[in-house]
Amino acid sequence: MSRKKKPLPLLEHIEITDIAAEGKALARVNDMVVFVPWAAPGDIVDLQVRRKKHSFMEAEIVRFHQKSPLRHEPTCQHFGICGGCKWQHVPYSEQLKAKQQQVEDQLRRIGKVELPPVSPILGSANEFEYRNKLEFSCSNKKWLTREQVASGETFDNMNAIGFHITGAFDKVYPIERCHLMDNRHNEIRNAIRDYAYLSGMTFYDLRQQHGLLRDIIIRNSNTGEWMVIIQFCMEESEDEDRAKALLQYVADKFPYITALLYVNNQKCNDTFSDLPVHVFKGNDHIFETMEGLRFKVGPKSFYQTNTEQAYMLYKVARQFAGLTGSELVYDLYTGTGTIANFIAAKARKVIGIEYVPEAIEDAKVNSEINGITNTEFYAGDMKDILTDEFTSLHGCPDIIVTDPPRAGMHPDVVQTILRTSPKRIVYVSCNPATQARDLALLDYNYAVKAVQPVDMFPHTPHVENVVLLVRR
């Protein structure tokens, strides 16, 4: 006989005291931390505990007794459901304070390294419409709100285009308007949705893994160009005709799209780095510009999603590098070579390494179109490329700039960096927690001399951070 679970408690008249990581707020009850989504410091609430562990609880608000004076009305109609902008109900100035504290706490608590004073965070010039890329999933299982479920309403059409809901991988919450990108992207996405509805196009079933319309990526650039990539799952002979009819509709309705592309993806996941991308109309790329340089961005290329803040970020990295023109620089996780090309004018030579071969080809093109001749780029897994043999062949770097993914650097990469012993390391990170872990590994040989947080993602808990390490 299974043991009956003890009911989780209702906590009454609890004050929310701080903003926590992952977009949550927190309260303290009997020396235990309680994490609460969608709350703000100063709220007085009743909380229903949903999860209880030895040292913390997770709860949700079931009643407000008093709303915090910090609260303001969120801009987005989808706030509280879609899960993207977790802090829209908190003023941007307060978000910046929380991100500053998050960086300091994680570097000290996880890294346990000696830190200089952390510089004040550089906030984004734009709170909304700051992104240059958004990705939307298509599903035949629309996420229903609690109110919709409780009403007993039935839906003839359960297809949806939008964002995945946490904890329900096969369901998508339909988005009518997202404020994170120029409003043209809403027009494009909703037109694709309406055409698919009217034409009877099937939407992808994530469990059964079939259905024609699968995924939509929309990108724009500061040159005014637009790229749209539609992923289909074409399994039947007629599917290609249906897909191309949709693409023609999009091309006719939105003539400003300069790169209209499509992918036939029959895999179990939405990644298409190993699949061919087909051009339906226009080019296979768009261009971004930065400080007089032009950067080619292809469908598989990584480019920072907040263009204006990327410029701020790269200026900090260049400043921390302290280049005089005589240095050999390794740019790890170079992507399309944005940082490498951005700093090349002030270095003797820059070598960029990146996992995605297509991004490396774009990096080479970016050097060529900007007349940059002192860069070299290599494609492959970082831990396999950056070896002692590689540094023996190309020379030990004077400076390393590293901008790894959220998981941070592989331990083998850290050890190779330590053996090459550059004078300076400029560590750019989108995850201060894994950055702190790596700083601890580097601490014996390197001292942290400067820390500069940069906010790329208003209304989300994410923050970029740049750290300068100097050889002891």
Side-chain angles (χ1 to χ4, degrees), residues 51 121 173 339 428:
R51 185 177 177 218
I121 189 170
Y173 176 66
I339 292 180
V428 182

Side-chain angles (χ1 to χ4, degrees), residues 187-454:
E187 297 169 356
I188 295 168
R189 183 197 62 250
N190 291 344
I192 292 172
R193 175 200 64 196
D194 294 345
Y195 177 93
Y197 284 174
L198 288 171
S199 66
M201 183 174 287
T202 56
F203 284 52
Y204 196 68
D205 186 313
L206 281 138
R207 289 189 181 274
Q208 301 300 320
Q209 297 179 5
H210 64 77
L212 183 56
L213 188 58
R214 180 164 186 169
D215 187 83
I216 301 166
I217 298 173
I218 303 175
R219 305 180 86 149
N220 69 350
S221 70
N222 60 4
T223 61
E225 295 173 286
W226 285 78
M227 174 187 288
V228 175
I229 310 163
I230 304 179
Q231 285 199 61
F232 299 99
C233 180
M234 304 181 201
E235 297 178 302
E236 301 176 2
S237 56
E238 300 87 358
D239 283 345
E240 186 172 359
D241 292 337
R242 295 189 185 104
K244 289 188 173 179
L246 169 58
L247 290 162
Q248 189 61 56
Y249 169 77
V250 173
D252 293 340
K253 189 171 181 64
F254 304 104
Y256 56 79
I257 295 175
T258 54
L260 181 56
L261 315 174
Y262 69 97
V263 179
N264 181 18
N265 184 353
Q266 298 182 38
K267 300 190 307 174
C268 297
N269 58 65
D270 289 336
T271 61
F272 61 94
S273 59
D274 57 340
L275 297 175
V277 179
H278 307 280
V279 177
F280 184 81
K281 173 202 166 186
N283 304 313
D284 64 352
H285 62 273
I286 56 178
F287 281 101
E288 291 276 5
T289 61
M290 186 180 294
E291 208 174 73
L293 300 173
R294 299 178 76 225
F295 294 100
K296 179 186 176 184
V297 181
K300 300 178 183 180
S301 301
F302 170 79
Y303 194 87
Q304 290 284 356
T305 54
N306 185 333
T307 302
E308 289 190 27
Q309 282 301 93
Y311 180 42
M312 301 295 291
L313 186 74
Y314 296 157
K315 283 198 295 184
V316 171
R318 184 173 62 188
Q319 176 194 345
F320 280 8
L323 298 167
T324 65
S326 62
E327 295 86 2
L328 171 62
V329 182
Y330 281 13
D331 178 26
L332 310 185
Y333 312 93
T334 191
T336 56
T338 315
I339 292 180
N341 286 299
F342 185 73
I343 66 175
K346 296 184 179 294
R348 172 171 59 87
K349 185 177 182 180
V350 183
I351 294 176
I353 306 173
E354 165 62 37
Y355 177 74
V356 180
E358 291 86 355
I360 284 296
E361 291 308 308
D362 283 346
K364 293 176 181 177
V365 170
N366 287 332
S367 287
E368 183 179 347
I369 63 178
N370 288 292
I372 297 170
T373 58
N374 61 333
T375 57
E376 291 180 6
F377 296 99
Y378 298 90
D381 192 300
M382 190 64 62
K383 65 179 173 54
D384 298 330
I385 291 285
L386 187 66
T387 61
D388 294 339
E389 291 77 15
F390 184 91
T391 56
S392 296
L393 179 64
H394 297 280
C396 286
D398 302 298
I399 295 167
I400 284 181
V401 179
T402 181
D403 186 5
R406 289 191 62 79
M409 295 191 292
H410 191 281
D412 292 350
V413 175
V414 175
Q415 291 306 312
T416 303
I417 290 174
L418 288 170
R419 286 194 296 274
T420 60
S421 192
K423 296 175 186 175
R424 291 180 170 219
I425 301 169
V426 180
Y427 192 148
V428 182
S429 174
C430 60
N431 185 352
T434 56
Q435 183 184 47
R437 178 204 65 202
D438 293 344
L439 294 184
L441 297 175
L442 295 164
D443 184 57
Y444 183 79
N445 293 57
Y446 287 87
V448 176
K449 292 297 184 182
V451 181
Q452 177 63 71
V454 181

Side-chain angles (χ1 to χ4, degrees), residues 137 139 164-172 205-209:
S137 295
S139 173
H164 284 281
I165 293 292
T166 303
F169 83 95
D170 63 331
K171 293 183 173 62
V172 164
D205 186 313
L206 281 138
R207 289 189 181 274
Q208 301 300 320
Q209 297 179 5

